[in-house]
Amino acid sequence: MRNKLYLLGLVVVLLFLAFFLLEKTKEDATEIEYWKLSLDRIEYYPPSEQWVERTGDKFYSKPFTISVKEGIKKGEKFFAVLNKDTETGKDIEYEGGYNSENTVRDFGTYRVKGTEEILEGIQIKESLQLGEDSPKLVFYSGNISKTLRIGKKHSLGSTRVILHEGPIRNILTSSSYLFDRFQKGPQDFRQKSILTLNKEYVKEISYIDENGTSIRIDNTPYESNSVKKNFWRRLSGEIILLEPKLGEDLYRFMTGLKVETFPDDENGAGFGIGNILAPNAERSEFSLASVKVLISDGNEIVYRFHKETTIGDKKLTPVIRIINSNFKEPPVYVIANAFTQIQAAAKAIKEAKAIVKPDKSKLGNTSRKK
């Protein structure tokens, strides 16, 4: 009897080790390319409340879409994030940031660690958490669409069980980080830098506000001792060369702008308030100031700054951004001090005097007199 118990214990241990090693093998397996597509959009659909209760796995609770749009930005793809605002019932769409771009790239060339075809008539085990109520991603490429259901994580946490739905169903073992991104909402996929530059440079900045300050400056970049620098001129009023600091201040304040809060953030007060503070008007009559930035690649972005407000314990300035006159975002909030800095920099440029270089002949005469 004792020998049988020892044998039973040994079998249990061996089964556990086999399962552990199998899981580890899946975790460490070399990835293979499962599909390669030029994606147009990715649609996310949330799980049911029952699925969340069963699994304890918290994915975002509302649908949203990441799409790739042509014709908005010159010379590059434009990533957009769209979702329905529950307060106003309207669709809202912002430019997508690096998280959107990475997600489209990663699923455009989708790699998995393992595949297993499910034969017709075979039921999927409930323990895999792959039912009609599990989270779902739908990928579109032209007239092709593919659907993935998100299932349980493997024991070591770095891979998940995924179901590829279709005429032939496949159970996939896939890196979990690709899917864990969707535990956060659309805010996490939006562009948070107000002005983004890669290899491009700022060619012109124009500023006008309700106080009558109006300036326009342009930039000719150059390189000195392998260091890239900007050379600024004021084109409005008397055309002058600017002290480098004056142009750099306005440039630095514009490129440093970051979204502090979206209206649909938990502490953002909602789009009902946001749309009152920054009306969606065709013209800029409701804004305190308007800044137009021309990028070297031909793209033009307009920023409309609205009246400062307080939300919670933060002083914020609502901003609306318009890209090439054909993509207008809903409002975002930046810290109020950011606009104050831009305003002060524009005023300093307006009041600037021409750089006066010393007369070399007079300097020579002075030295001789000594």
Side-chain angles (χ1 to χ4, degrees):
M1 182 65 181
R2 182 176 297 177
N3 289 338
K4 288 182 179 180
L5 289 175
Y6 285 148
L7 183 61
L8 180 61
L10 180 61
V11 169
V12 170
V13 170
L14 289 174
L15 286 174
F16 174 79
L17 288 173
F19 178 78
F20 178 80
L21 291 173
L22 179 62
E23 292 285 283
K24 186 169 178 57
T25 301
K26 288 179 179 179
E27 295 276 334
D28 295 338
T30 302
E31 290 187 324
I32 58 172
E33 187 177 294
Y34 187 67
W35 73 50
K36 189 167 187 175
L37 299 169
S38 178
L39 293 177
D40 303 319
R41 73 181 189 275
I42 301 171
E43 295 178 352
Y44 164 78
Y45 296 93
S48 69
E49 292 181 4
Q50 291 77 16
W51 187 91
V52 173
E53 288 175 3
R54 287 198 311 270
T55 64
D57 218 345
K58 294 183 179 179
F59 278 79
Y60 190 67
S61 61
K62 298 179 182 65
F64 63 91
T65 299
I66 303 166
S67 52
V68 184
K69 296 194 171 187
E70 302 291 341
I72 291 178
K73 275 192 173 180
K74 298 176 183 178
E76 60 182 293
K77 291 181 178 179
F78 185 82
F79 299 89
V81 184
L82 181 143
N83 64 291
K84 187 176 289 293
D85 176 44
T86 53
E87 181 188 7
T88 63
K90 295 181 179 180
D91 287 340
I92 54 174
E93 192 170 28
Y94 286 96
E95 181 180 3
Y98 68 91
N99 213 359
S100 293
E101 186 174 354
N102 290 344
T103 300
V104 170
R105 184 195 64 237
D106 291 340
F107 282 110
T109 303
Y110 179 43
R111 294 180 173 86
V112 300
K113 294 177 183 290
T115 66
E116 183 180 342
E117 183 180 336
I118 303 173
L119 299 177
E120 189 176 347
I122 301 297
Q123 295 293 319
I124 298 173
K125 293 179 181 179
E126 289 186 10
S127 61
L128 297 181
Q129 300 160 6
L130 287 169
E132 288 294 318
D133 61 348
S134 63
K136 180 173 73 171
L137 294 173
V138 184
F139 305 89
Y140 294 89
S141 176
N143 58 0
I144 299 171
S145 68
K146 295 183 181 291
T147 300
L148 297 180
R149 289 275 180 187
I150 303 171
K152 67 168 286 188
K153 273 190 179 183
H154 284 120
S155 60
L156 298 183
S158 65
T159 58
R160 276 188 181 276
V161 177
I162 304 296
L163 172 65
H164 178 199
E165 293 183 336
I168 298 175
R169 297 183 302 166
N170 281 315
I171 294 287
L172 311 175
T173 302
S174 184
S175 294
S176 59
Y177 76 89
L178 296 171
F179 302 91
D180 291 350
R181 292 171 183 169
F182 294 91
Q183 293 177 339
K184 295 184 178 180
Q187 294 93 329
D188 202 58
F189 290 85
R190 296 171 184 164
Q191 180 62 262
K192 293 179 177 64
S193 294
I194 297 289
L195 178 59
T196 54
L197 297 171
N198 294 312
K199 295 180 181 178
E200 314 83 21
Y201 63 89
V202 171
K203 193 173 180 180
E204 285 188 13
I205 302 176
S206 301
Y207 172 98
I208 185 169
D209 67 23
E210 64 174 6
N211 297 323
T213 301
S214 177
I215 60 107
R216 178 170 162 242
I217 63 175
D218 75 350
N219 174 35
T220 305
Y222 67 99
E223 197 168 292
S224 176
N225 297 324
S226 300
V227 177
K228 292 182 179 179
K229 296 184 178 181
N230 296 317
F231 182 79
W232 299 97
R233 294 185 307 166
R234 187 183 69 195
L235 304 181
S236 50
E238 179 190 2
I239 298 177
I240 64 170
L241 303 181
L242 285 171
E243 290 283 357
K245 182 180 183 304
L246 295 179
E248 285 300 299
D249 278 351
L250 183 56
Y251 168 79
R252 181 164 49 87
F253 294 146
M254 285 303 301
T255 54
L257 278 176
K258 303 287 184 185
V259 175
E260 181 71 14
T261 305
F262 290 104
D264 55 349
D265 283 339
E266 189 175 341
N267 57 346
F271 279 99
I273 297 296
N275 292 335
I276 292 172
L277 295 172
N280 188 20
E282 291 301 318
R283 299 187 301 277
S284 59
E285 66 265 35
F286 294 107
S287 59
L288 297 181
S290 181
V291 181
K292 181 168 68 175
V293 178
L294 180 63
I295 312 298
S296 59
D297 59 6
N299 288 300
E300 181 183 279
I301 309 172
V302 172
Y303 307 86
R304 293 181 183 166
F305 295 87
H306 292 259
K307 187 177 179 180
E308 178 184 315
T309 188
T310 300
I311 298 179
D313 59 352
K314 293 182 179 179
K315 290 185 177 181
L316 302 169
T317 296
V319 183
I320 286 180
R321 195 171 64 128
I322 306 165
I323 301 171
N324 291 330
S325 302
N326 57 22
F327 186 86
K328 186 174 184 179
E329 289 185 331
V332 299
Y333 297 106
V334 300
I335 57 174
N337 186 52
F339 173 61
T340 303
Q341 290 175 322
I342 291 169
Q343 197 173 33
K347 185 179 179 182
I349 289 171
K350 182 178 181 179
E351 296 172 352
K353 304 298 181 185
I355 298 174
V356 179
K357 295 183 178 180
D359 190 321
K360 292 182 179 179
S361 63
K362 289 183 179 180
L363 285 176
N365 291 336
T366 303
S367 61
R368 281 194 296 271
K369 286 179 182 178
K370 290 181 179 179

